[in-house]
Amino acid sequence: MKIRMAHGSGGEETRRLVEEIFVAAFGNDRLRAMEDAAVVKLKGKTAFTTDSYVVTPLFFRGGDIGRLSVCGTVNDLLMMGAKPEYLTAGFIIEEGMDTGTLEKIALSMAEAAKESGAAIVAGDTKVIEGRGGLFINTSGIGTVPEERDISARNCAPGDAIILSGTLGDHHACILSARMGIENSIRSDTAPLCEPVGALLHSGAKVKAMRDITRGGLGTVLNEVCGAAGAGAQIYEDRIPVTAQVKSFCEILGLDPMYMGNEGKFIAVVGKDDADKALAALRETRGGKNASHIGNVCEGKAVTMITAVGGRRTIHTMTGEGLPRIC
Amino acid sequence: MVPEAVVRFLSGYGGRPVKIMEVCGTHTATALRGGIRSLISDKIRLVSGPGCPVCLASSAYIDRLCALAKDGCVIVSFGDLLKVKGSTGSLLDMKAAGHGVEMVYSPLDAVRIASERPGKTVVLAAIGFETTAPAHALVVETAIQKGLKNLMLLTAMKRLMPALDLLCADPGLDAFIAPGHVAAVTGSAVFEPAAKKHKKPFAVAGFTPESMLLAMYCLVKQIGAGGSGVANLYGEAVRPEGNEKARAVMDKYFEPGDAYWRGLGVIKDSGLYLKKEYMRFDAGSFGRNDEGAEARGCMCGAVLTGRSDPDECPMFGNKCTPEDAYGPCMVSAEGVCGIWYREGAAK
């Protein structure tokens, strides 16, 4: 069946669509009650965030817009040291979308939410004219232990910068799909609960964390350093990039430093804690390739020592990068 | 990995000052990303050449595309070209005003778009060097096979060698890093006549800092010895004879003709145009050579010929940025000014 304008009217068609697809997939009592708002109980400090997802294509190797929309928001909560608790999901569906496709996306969201330990407790559906596309907004709320203080402001010269894994996989995957290039590059879209959990329990003093999405590592490092009032020195040969992504970048002139990821983050840890952090991360599914890529230093600039030994200043990304990547 | 001796030689070089031109925008980016300038002696200067087809597009060409869009045609173009300003605006402005402008990643997408919209005339903005020209030729071939009557090309394709021949005559340039992608099609042997004639060495390099450093090592050594050879350091992709199949399809549909190069003027036989028998596919490509376009104070012409670095232009980084570009070299991903700006290479 195709989605028609009537599915967004708020009447019988909407009710059936919500029940048969979304409530069925996300299945929990709060959602099933179909009240105007979900009422939840939270303890202590809370983190609250929102993000919208407009990726094309809707399905890609390693994920889809549904999985992405849950992971993106969950990861933003995790980066503040929060435990993701509840999510909301808003769907803007273009007329003509297949309900089977929508169901697949909803089930994928449910699975990602389960992996994250969060429940989708409220939602909204609108239908607009168009060509069968889909946009999703998710908001998320999580709880932060009272004593935990994770912020880029905490970083100081000497601190170690840990990268959780390979760069560029999501970006290269999306671009390959759009350009019709055959390869086996998979998006890294994943909730970061496991690696973040391991890191927070490793005994390392975790000062700041950032997931490396749009803008890439180059932009994220500049943001962290800007907030900390410090600089950073990193080493190109310590930054993991798979051979396939590397050659993809060489052919297209792309730079992994500015490519988006959906399952990678950097953590800034105390200067003597790099080994502890690495050992913990490497035990996890999302952290096998974790690497100590450099350190926070005095100054303002982010500098890279390149693989051939040159010095390169890393700036915030300018220009638009690749649109509709997430 | 580069042998240490190569880096040691390049950093310790104390001979006469030399100027090496890298012709391809991807090499410009590779050099900056590898921090190559920080590794070589001040006596070796690396300058960029006219290696970005988007930067070379004249404003008369952009104006023609915009006029076609206004007339109801669907313009199919690579993304970078959309942002280049003509005398009245860019294709992006046309798109925002509701005219038919489609961004694609491959010229062959034009065939799909023309098939999907039989009632519309679809015009492919066919720019590029010998690297892209075979793909444009395939578009014509496929359109003929499918009997498409609503697909046309507005061409501004360039042949690199006539321009390089002209640049070789510049006494300020000592050697050239030849573009790997173009050489894959033309073959490395194509550079030999110019190298011999002007007594200047060439090196075909791949797109890694290692390959570029090796190329520079070969070139500086050759300059010292008065050599004029063509070294191929990108053997995995480039053969002396090039890619004959790609050239055959290109030669089937296109032929050389005079073309305008920003900063160099009109160069004989440096363009590629549809042959007479395929002229029904042409959307008005001839005579779009506007030599007056640089009167606006833009130094793109000097930048594209290695006479100026991007940051020597008074507009660089203030009046002219990637977000609001004045000159085409700031617009494109392959444009020298844009690369310098994004990489923060300005002094």
Side-chain angles (χ1 to χ4, degrees), chain B residues 239-265:
Chain B
R239 290 175 296 147
E241 69 279 14
N243 183 336
E244 285 121 341
K245 264 194 189 160
R247 281 206 309 276
V249 69
M250 187 164 88
D251 294 343
K252 183 171 172 192
Y253 297 101
F254 304 131
E255 63 189 7
D258 299 351
Y260 169 78
W261 294 61
R262 205 174 291 270
L264 292 170

PDB file of all heavy atoms in Angstrom, chain B residues 239-265:
ATOM      1  N   ARG B 239      49.833   4.301 -18.649  1.00  0.00           N
ATOM      2  CA  ARG B 239      50.758   3.640 -19.577  1.00  0.00           C
ATOM      3  C   ARG B 239      51.228   4.689 -20.583  1.00  0.00           C
ATOM      4  O   ARG B 239      50.534   5.680 -20.802  1.00  0.00           O
ATOM      5  CB  ARG B 239      50.037   2.504 -20.315  1.00  0.00           C
ATOM      6  CG  ARG B 239      49.706   1.313 -19.409  1.00  0.00           C
ATOM      7  CD  ARG B 239      48.881   0.282 -20.149  1.00  0.00           C
ATOM      8  NE  ARG B 239      47.583   0.833 -20.520  1.00  0.00           N
ATOM      9  CZ  ARG B 239      46.923   0.509 -21.617  1.00  0.00           C
ATOM     10  NH1 ARG B 239      47.418  -0.341 -22.485  1.00  0.00           N
ATOM     11  NH2 ARG B 239      45.746   1.052 -21.878  1.00  0.00           N
ATOM     12  N   PRO B 240      52.374   4.475 -21.226  1.00  0.00           N
ATOM     13  CA  PRO B 240      52.858   5.476 -22.183  1.00  0.00           C
ATOM     14  C   PRO B 240      51.824   5.764 -23.272  1.00  0.00           C
ATOM     15  O   PRO B 240      51.663   6.904 -23.705  1.00  0.00           O
ATOM     16  CB  PRO B 240      54.102   4.817 -22.793  1.00  0.00           C
ATOM     17  CG  PRO B 240      54.538   3.805 -21.794  1.00  0.00           C
ATOM     18  CD  PRO B 240      53.316   3.351 -21.065  1.00  0.00           C
ATOM     19  N   GLU B 241      51.109   4.716 -23.691  1.00  0.00           N
ATOM     20  CA  GLU B 241      50.162   4.897 -24.793  1.00  0.00           C
ATOM     21  C   GLU B 241      48.764   5.301 -24.298  1.00  0.00           C
ATOM     22  O   GLU B 241      47.887   5.615 -25.100  1.00  0.00           O
ATOM     23  CB  GLU B 241      50.094   3.635 -25.663  1.00  0.00           C
ATOM     24  CG  GLU B 241      49.454   2.418 -25.002  1.00  0.00           C
ATOM     25  CD  GLU B 241      50.421   1.651 -24.079  1.00  0.00           C
ATOM     26  OE1 GLU B 241      51.498   2.178 -23.728  1.00  0.00           O
ATOM     27  OE2 GLU B 241      50.070   0.526 -23.693  1.00  0.00           O
ATOM     28  N   GLY B 242      48.535   5.296 -23.002  1.00  0.00           N
ATOM     29  CA  GLY B 242      47.252   5.729 -22.463  1.00  0.00           C
ATOM     30  C   GLY B 242      46.143   4.715 -22.682  1.00  0.00           C
ATOM     31  O   GLY B 242      46.387   3.528 -22.846  1.00  0.00           O
ATOM     32  N   ASN B 243      44.915   5.207 -22.641  1.00  0.00           N
ATOM     33  CA  ASN B 243      43.740   4.347 -22.785  1.00  0.00           C
ATOM     34  C   ASN B 243      43.139   4.554 -24.180  1.00  0.00           C
ATOM     35  O   ASN B 243      42.429   5.516 -24.434  1.00  0.00           O
ATOM     36  CB  ASN B 243      42.732   4.717 -21.681  1.00  0.00           C
ATOM     37  CG  ASN B 243      41.501   3.838 -21.701  1.00  0.00           C
ATOM     38  OD1 ASN B 243      41.144   3.260 -22.729  1.00  0.00           O
ATOM     39  ND2 ASN B 243      40.836   3.733 -20.562  1.00  0.00           N
ATOM     40  N   GLU B 244      43.455   3.621 -25.078  1.00  0.00           N
ATOM     41  CA  GLU B 244      43.043   3.801 -26.486  1.00  0.00           C
ATOM     42  C   GLU B 244      41.530   3.756 -26.648  1.00  0.00           C
ATOM     43  O   GLU B 244      40.964   4.466 -27.478  1.00  0.00           O
ATOM     44  CB  GLU B 244      43.690   2.727 -27.378  1.00  0.00           C
ATOM     45  CG  GLU B 244      45.159   2.983 -27.627  1.00  0.00           C
ATOM     46  CD  GLU B 244      46.048   1.853 -27.145  1.00  0.00           C
ATOM     47  OE1 GLU B 244      45.570   1.047 -26.308  1.00  0.00           O
ATOM     48  OE2 GLU B 244      47.210   1.789 -27.581  1.00  0.00           O
ATOM     49  N   LYS B 245      40.887   2.902 -25.865  1.00  0.00           N
ATOM     50  CA  LYS B 245      39.417   2.775 -25.974  1.00  0.00           C
ATOM     51  C   LYS B 245      38.727   4.090 -25.649  1.00  0.00           C
ATOM     52  O   LYS B 245      37.807   4.519 -26.334  1.00  0.00           O
ATOM     53  CB  LYS B 245      38.921   1.703 -24.997  1.00  0.00           C
ATOM     54  CG  LYS B 245      38.746   0.348 -25.623  1.00  0.00           C
ATOM     55  CD  LYS B 245      37.944  -0.529 -24.675  1.00  0.00           C
ATOM     56  CE  LYS B 245      37.947  -1.965 -25.167  1.00  0.00           C
ATOM     57  NZ  LYS B 245      37.613  -2.898 -24.102  1.00  0.00           N
ATOM     58  N   ALA B 246      39.190   4.715 -24.551  1.00  0.00           N
ATOM     59  CA  ALA B 246      38.581   5.986 -24.136  1.00  0.00           C
ATOM     60  C   ALA B 246      38.809   7.045 -25.206  1.00  0.00           C
ATOM     61  O   ALA B 246      37.915   7.836 -25.518  1.00  0.00           O
ATOM     62  CB  ALA B 246      39.173   6.440 -22.803  1.00  0.00           C
ATOM     63  N   ARG B 247      40.019   7.039 -25.774  1.00  0.00           N
ATOM     64  CA  ARG B 247      40.307   8.038 -26.812  1.00  0.00           C
ATOM     65  C   ARG B 247      39.493   7.785 -28.072  1.00  0.00           C
ATOM     66  O   ARG B 247      39.070   8.717 -28.750  1.00  0.00           O
ATOM     67  CB  ARG B 247      41.801   8.056 -27.125  1.00  0.00           C
ATOM     68  CG  ARG B 247      42.615   8.825 -26.090  1.00  0.00           C
ATOM     69  CD  ARG B 247      43.890   9.370 -26.695  1.00  0.00           C
ATOM     70  NE  ARG B 247      44.637   8.335 -27.393  1.00  0.00           N
ATOM     71  CZ  ARG B 247      45.489   7.487 -26.806  1.00  0.00           C
ATOM     72  NH1 ARG B 247      45.681   7.567 -25.514  1.00  0.00           N
ATOM     73  NH2 ARG B 247      46.130   6.600 -27.509  1.00  0.00           N
ATOM     74  N   ALA B 248      39.260   6.503 -28.377  1.00  0.00           N
ATOM     75  CA  ALA B 248      38.523   6.176 -29.607  1.00  0.00           C
ATOM     76  C   ALA B 248      37.095   6.719 -29.545  1.00  0.00           C
ATOM     77  O   ALA B 248      36.608   7.327 -30.500  1.00  0.00           O
ATOM     78  CB  ALA B 248      38.511   4.663 -29.817  1.00  0.00           C
ATOM     79  N   VAL B 249      36.442   6.547 -28.402  1.00  0.00           N
ATOM     80  CA  VAL B 249      35.051   7.013 -28.301  1.00  0.00           C
ATOM     81  C   VAL B 249      35.014   8.545 -28.307  1.00  0.00           C
ATOM     82  O   VAL B 249      34.134   9.173 -28.898  1.00  0.00           O
ATOM     83  CB  VAL B 249      34.314   6.397 -27.080  1.00  0.00           C
ATOM     84  CG1 VAL B 249      34.857   6.921 -25.772  1.00  0.00           C
ATOM     85  CG2 VAL B 249      32.825   6.650 -27.158  1.00  0.00           C
ATOM     86  N   MET B 250      36.021   9.154 -27.699  1.00  0.00           N
ATOM     87  CA  MET B 250      36.122  10.610 -27.669  1.00  0.00           C
ATOM     88  C   MET B 250      36.313  11.144 -29.091  1.00  0.00           C
ATOM     89  O   MET B 250      35.629  12.077 -29.521  1.00  0.00           O
ATOM     90  CB  MET B 250      37.335  10.935 -26.787  1.00  0.00           C
ATOM     91  CG  MET B 250      37.575  12.351 -26.459  1.00  0.00           C
ATOM     92  SD  MET B 250      38.748  12.374 -25.063  1.00  0.00           S
ATOM     93  CE  MET B 250      40.309  12.360 -25.926  1.00  0.00           C
ATOM     94  N   ASP B 251      37.226  10.505 -29.846  1.00  0.00           N
ATOM     95  CA  ASP B 251      37.523  10.959 -31.212  1.00  0.00           C
ATOM     96  C   ASP B 251      36.373  10.699 -32.175  1.00  0.00           C
ATOM     97  O   ASP B 251      36.280  11.322 -33.228  1.00  0.00           O
ATOM     98  CB  ASP B 251      38.792  10.274 -31.743  1.00  0.00           C
ATOM     99  CG  ASP B 251      40.029  10.703 -30.970  1.00  0.00           C
ATOM    100  OD1 ASP B 251      39.948  11.738 -30.273  1.00  0.00           O
ATOM    101  OD2 ASP B 251      41.063  10.007 -31.034  1.00  0.00           O
ATOM    102  N   LYS B 252      35.526   9.736 -31.817  1.00  0.00           N
ATOM    103  CA  LYS B 252      34.397   9.423 -32.695  1.00  0.00           C
ATOM    104  C   LYS B 252      33.397  10.582 -32.738  1.00  0.00           C
ATOM    105  O   LYS B 252      32.849  10.903 -33.782  1.00  0.00           O
ATOM    106  CB  LYS B 252      33.716   8.145 -32.196  1.00  0.00           C
ATOM    107  CG  LYS B 252      32.575   7.662 -33.071  1.00  0.00           C
ATOM    108  CD  LYS B 252      32.100   6.285 -32.624  1.00  0.00           C
ATOM    109  CE  LYS B 252      30.832   5.894 -33.384  1.00  0.00           C
ATOM    110  NZ  LYS B 252      30.201   4.724 -32.785  1.00  0.00           N
ATOM    111  N   TYR B 253      33.190  11.221 -31.602  1.00  0.00           N
ATOM    112  CA  TYR B 253      32.140  12.247 -31.525  1.00  0.00           C
ATOM    113  C   TYR B 253      32.668  13.687 -31.449  1.00  0.00           C
ATOM    114  O   TYR B 253      31.949  14.611 -31.786  1.00  0.00           O
ATOM    115  CB  TYR B 253      31.229  11.979 -30.318  1.00  0.00           C
ATOM    116  CG  TYR B 253      30.501  10.667 -30.449  1.00  0.00           C
ATOM    117  CD1 TYR B 253      30.925   9.527 -29.766  1.00  0.00           C
ATOM    118  CD2 TYR B 253      29.402  10.555 -31.310  1.00  0.00           C
ATOM    119  CE1 TYR B 253      30.279   8.314 -29.916  1.00  0.00           C
ATOM    120  CE2 TYR B 253      28.754   9.337 -31.465  1.00  0.00           C
ATOM    121  CZ  TYR B 253      29.198   8.221 -30.774  1.00  0.00           C
ATOM    122  OH  TYR B 253      28.557   7.035 -30.942  1.00  0.00           O
ATOM    123  N   PHE B 254      33.891  13.851 -30.975  1.00  0.00           N
ATOM    124  CA  PHE B 254      34.405  15.213 -30.777  1.00  0.00           C
ATOM    125  C   PHE B 254      35.626  15.480 -31.648  1.00  0.00           C
ATOM    126  O   PHE B 254      36.351  14.553 -32.018  1.00  0.00           O
ATOM    127  CB  PHE B 254      34.796  15.435 -29.308  1.00  0.00           C
ATOM    128  CG  PHE B 254      33.682  15.172 -28.334  1.00  0.00           C
ATOM    129  CD1 PHE B 254      33.892  14.361 -27.222  1.00  0.00           C
ATOM    130  CD2 PHE B 254      32.412  15.731 -28.524  1.00  0.00           C
ATOM    131  CE1 PHE B 254      32.865  14.110 -26.314  1.00  0.00           C
ATOM    132  CE2 PHE B 254      31.387  15.485 -27.614  1.00  0.00           C
ATOM    133  CZ  PHE B 254      31.617  14.673 -26.513  1.00  0.00           C
ATOM    134  N   GLU B 255      35.862  16.776 -31.928  1.00  0.00           N
ATOM    135  CA  GLU B 255      37.087  17.156 -32.637  1.00  0.00           C
ATOM    136  C   GLU B 255      37.639  18.436 -32.017  1.00  0.00           C
ATOM    137  O   GLU B 255      36.892  19.218 -31.419  1.00  0.00           O
ATOM    138  CB  GLU B 255      36.808  17.338 -34.128  1.00  0.00           C
ATOM    139  CG  GLU B 255      35.835  18.464 -34.437  1.00  0.00           C
ATOM    140  CD  GLU B 255      35.420  18.479 -35.909  1.00  0.00           C
ATOM    141  OE1 GLU B 255      35.788  17.548 -36.646  1.00  0.00           O
ATOM    142  OE2 GLU B 255      34.729  19.432 -36.300  1.00  0.00           O
ATOM    143  N   PRO B 256      38.953  18.659 -32.176  1.00  0.00           N
ATOM    144  CA  PRO B 256      39.562  19.844 -31.563  1.00  0.00           C
ATOM    145  C   PRO B 256      39.085  21.142 -32.199  1.00  0.00           C
ATOM    146  O   PRO B 256      38.726  21.166 -33.371  1.00  0.00           O
ATOM    147  CB  PRO B 256      41.063  19.653 -31.823  1.00  0.00           C
ATOM    148  CG  PRO B 256      41.238  18.211 -32.142  1.00  0.00           C
ATOM    149  CD  PRO B 256      39.968  17.785 -32.796  1.00  0.00           C
ATOM    150  N   GLY B 257      39.059  22.186 -31.406  1.00  0.00           N
ATOM    151  CA  GLY B 257      38.734  23.517 -31.891  1.00  0.00           C
ATOM    152  C   GLY B 257      39.305  24.531 -30.910  1.00  0.00           C
ATOM    153  O   GLY B 257      39.720  24.152 -29.798  1.00  0.00           O
ATOM    154  N   ASP B 258      39.334  25.801 -31.270  1.00  0.00           N
ATOM    155  CA  ASP B 258      39.901  26.822 -30.398  1.00  0.00           C
ATOM    156  C   ASP B 258      39.047  26.986 -29.137  1.00  0.00           C
ATOM    157  O   ASP B 258      37.834  26.874 -29.190  1.00  0.00           O
ATOM    158  CB  ASP B 258      39.984  28.163 -31.133  1.00  0.00           C
ATOM    159  CG  ASP B 258      40.885  28.062 -32.368  1.00  0.00           C
ATOM    160  OD1 ASP B 258      41.548  27.005 -32.511  1.00  0.00           O
ATOM    161  OD2 ASP B 258      40.902  29.007 -33.163  1.00  0.00           O
ATOM    162  N   ALA B 259      39.704  27.249 -28.037  1.00  0.00           N
ATOM    163  CA  ALA B 259      38.956  27.429 -26.788  1.00  0.00           C
ATOM    164  C   ALA B 259      39.626  28.460 -25.898  1.00  0.00           C
ATOM    165  O   ALA B 259      40.840  28.670 -25.963  1.00  0.00           O
ATOM    166  CB  ALA B 259      38.849  26.098 -26.042  1.00  0.00           C
ATOM    167  N   TYR B 260      38.808  29.074 -25.061  1.00  0.00           N
ATOM    168  CA  TYR B 260      39.274  30.118 -24.146  1.00  0.00           C
ATOM    169  C   TYR B 260      39.698  29.515 -22.817  1.00  0.00           C
ATOM    170  O   TYR B 260      39.010  28.659 -22.261  1.00  0.00           O
ATOM    171  CB  TYR B 260      38.141  31.126 -23.916  1.00  0.00           C
ATOM    172  CG  TYR B 260      38.396  32.091 -22.794  1.00  0.00           C
ATOM    173  CD1 TYR B 260      39.254  33.173 -22.982  1.00  0.00           C
ATOM    174  CD2 TYR B 260      37.794  31.934 -21.544  1.00  0.00           C
ATOM    175  CE1 TYR B 260      39.506  34.062 -21.951  1.00  0.00           C
ATOM    176  CE2 TYR B 260      38.032  32.815 -20.518  1.00  0.00           C
ATOM    177  CZ  TYR B 260      38.891  33.877 -20.714  1.00  0.00           C
ATOM    178  OH  TYR B 260      39.144  34.751 -19.697  1.00  0.00           O
ATOM    179  N   TRP B 261      40.841  29.954 -22.315  1.00  0.00           N
ATOM    180  CA  TRP B 261      41.320  29.541 -20.995  1.00  0.00           C
ATOM    181  C   TRP B 261      41.497  30.801 -20.160  1.00  0.00           C
ATOM    182  O   TRP B 261      42.227  31.705 -20.564  1.00  0.00           O
ATOM    183  CB  TRP B 261      42.674  28.827 -21.094  1.00  0.00           C
ATOM    184  CG  TRP B 261      42.629  27.517 -21.805  1.00  0.00           C
ATOM    185  CD1 TRP B 261      42.259  27.306 -23.109  1.00  0.00           C
ATOM    186  CD2 TRP B 261      42.981  26.240 -21.267  1.00  0.00           C
ATOM    187  NE1 TRP B 261      42.355  25.974 -23.410  1.00  0.00           N
ATOM    188  CE2 TRP B 261      42.796  25.290 -22.296  1.00  0.00           C
ATOM    189  CE3 TRP B 261      43.441  25.796 -20.024  1.00  0.00           C
ATOM    190  CZ2 TRP B 261      43.055  23.932 -22.114  1.00  0.00           C
ATOM    191  CZ3 TRP B 261      43.694  24.447 -19.846  1.00  0.00           C
ATOM    192  CH2 TRP B 261      43.495  23.528 -20.873  1.00  0.00           C
ATOM    193  N   ARG B 262      40.863  30.830 -19.001  1.00  0.00           N
ATOM    194  CA  ARG B 262      41.026  31.978 -18.111  1.00  0.00           C
ATOM    195  C   ARG B 262      42.516  32.176 -17.819  1.00  0.00           C
ATOM    196  O   ARG B 262      43.185  31.233 -17.414  1.00  0.00           O
ATOM    197  CB  ARG B 262      40.281  31.692 -16.808  1.00  0.00           C
ATOM    198  CG  ARG B 262      39.831  32.878 -16.049  1.00  0.00           C
ATOM    199  CD  ARG B 262      38.992  32.419 -14.878  1.00  0.00           C
ATOM    200  NE  ARG B 262      37.713  31.867 -15.312  1.00  0.00           N
ATOM    201  CZ  ARG B 262      36.614  32.582 -15.475  1.00  0.00           C
ATOM    202  NH1 ARG B 262      36.633  33.868 -15.243  1.00  0.00           N
ATOM    203  NH2 ARG B 262      35.500  32.019 -15.869  1.00  0.00           N
ATOM    204  N   GLY B 263      43.025  33.368 -18.055  1.00  0.00           N
ATOM    205  CA  GLY B 263      44.429  33.654 -17.772  1.00  0.00           C
ATOM    206  C   GLY B 263      45.350  33.397 -18.950  1.00  0.00           C
ATOM    207  O   GLY B 263      46.469  33.884 -18.979  1.00  0.00           O
ATOM    208  N   LEU B 264      44.903  32.594 -19.885  1.00  0.00           N
ATOM    209  CA  LEU B 264      45.761  32.275 -21.033  1.00  0.00           C
ATOM    210  C   LEU B 264      45.163  32.753 -22.354  1.00  0.00           C
ATOM    211  O   LEU B 264      45.846  32.803 -23.373  1.00  0.00           O
ATOM    212  CB  LEU B 264      46.003  30.757 -21.118  1.00  0.00           C
ATOM    213  CG  LEU B 264      46.844  30.137 -19.995  1.00  0.00           C
ATOM    214  CD1 LEU B 264      46.788  28.620 -20.073  1.00  0.00           C
ATOM    215  CD2 LEU B 264      48.283  30.608 -20.069  1.00  0.00           C
ATOM    216  N   GLY B 265      43.888  33.088 -22.352  1.00  0.00           N
ATOM    217  CA  GLY B 265      43.232  33.537 -23.584  1.00  0.00           C
ATOM    218  C   GLY B 265      42.779  32.369 -24.450  1.00  0.00           C
ATOM    219  O   GLY B 265      42.626  31.246 -23.963  1.00  0.00           O
TER     220      GLY B 265
END
